[in-house]
Amino acid sequence: MGLCKCRNVTNQFCFQHKKNVCETCIITDHQLCIVKSYLSWLQDSETDPNCTLCKKPFTNDSIRLVCLDLFHTDCIKRHLNSLDKTTTSKGFCCPICKIPVMPMQSQTSSIANNVRQVFMNEWWAKSRPEKEIVIPPPVNNYSSGIAPTMQKKQSSSIRIDPDDASYKQQQPREEQRLVY
């Protein structure tokens, strides 16, 4: 944790300028910088200041995702549009850290709002319901006219312990069975 120039406490660190940055600083002064946690910088301060997808230097047409990874806007769109149409909405993730690209509705940061705005017209970014599993209601097929009832029955099992050649009785457990 450290203080940025705005005097905000933050754990984000600009790898190029080697200083702590808050979200406001990232947006205003570090749009094209690699920003990660300070701990990541301590573990590995070497970074490639190029787009991970195309290996070219960042330009003003770049986007920072909510995970703080940075890409050319066209590169990340091309990558996400190339995914299979049957991919669930949670499958559209950052290629580096695998965090979903689209921020949750509860995220209200400037970075999250920018991501929503940039991707709002993409087919995969539009909210779509996940596939539902529909379980039909039970059908009454009882010729006797009597529906089954639940009955509890005590049962026990025997277990062989490989270290001890003797048999051990397990605690009885309750089972539920349909009785007609």
Side-chain angles (χ1 to χ4, degrees):
M1 288 268 186
L3 290 177
C4 70
K5 74 174 187 175
C6 304
R7 309 296 295 160
N8 291 323
V9 176
T10 180
N11 68 346
Q12 304 307 324
F13 195 78
C14 174
F15 282 39
Q16 277 88 349
H17 298 105
K18 297 181 178 39
K19 60 183 182 180
N20 290 316
V21 291
C22 68
E23 184 173 334
T24 305
C25 291
I26 292 171
I27 292 168
T28 57
D29 303 329
H30 302 271
Q31 304 96 335
L32 303 178
C33 297
I34 302 297
V35 176
K36 301 275 185 198
S37 72
Y38 181 69
L39 182 60
S40 351
W41 182 76
L42 289 174
Q43 292 171 345
D44 183 14
S45 62
E46 297 299 317
T47 61
D48 182 10
N50 297 318
C51 177
T52 307
L53 298 172
C54 71
K55 307 296 184 207
K56 293 179 183 169
F58 291 111
T59 63
N60 287 335
D61 187 29
S62 298
I63 184 168
R64 187 174 303 279
L65 304 179
V66 290
C67 59
L68 301 181
D69 288 325
L70 192 62
F71 299 95
H72 291 118
T73 305
D74 289 341
C75 291
I76 191 68
K77 281 183 178 181
R78 192 172 27 259
H79 169 74
L80 295 170
N81 283 321
S82 72
L83 296 176
D84 190 68
K85 298 275 188 208
T86 60
T87 304
T88 64
S89 55
K90 292 178 183 164
F92 293 93
C93 299
C94 170
I96 297 173
C97 66
K98 306 301 181 215
I99 290 178
V101 169
M102 289 306 291
M104 296 185 300
Q105 291 301 324
S106 59
Q107 289 179 292
T108 58
S109 69
S110 299
I111 293 174
N113 291 337
N114 185 47
V115 168
R116 282 188 199 97
Q117 185 177 2
V118 168
F119 296 129
M120 70 183 188
N121 293 325
E122 299 298 322
W123 65 268
W124 50 266
K126 294 182 172 109
S127 62
R128 53 194 170 121
E130 297 294 327
K131 290 183 180 176
E132 288 185 40
I133 298 174
V134 179
I135 301 173
V139 179
N140 188 348
N141 287 344
Y142 311 110
S143 57
S144 66
I146 302 172
T149 59
M150 298 297 282
Q151 244 184 14
K152 292 183 178 179
K153 176 187 168 197
Q154 290 282 336
S155 68
S156 61
S157 59
I158 297 177
R159 178 173 69 96
I160 298 174
D161 187 356
D163 297 329
D164 181 15
S166 64
Y167 293 96
K168 296 183 179 178
Q169 186 80 19
Q170 286 185 344
Q171 292 294 327
R173 62 187 167 129
E174 287 186 356
E175 286 183 354
Q176 294 185 344
R177 295 184 183 201
L178 290 175
V179 178
Y180 292 92

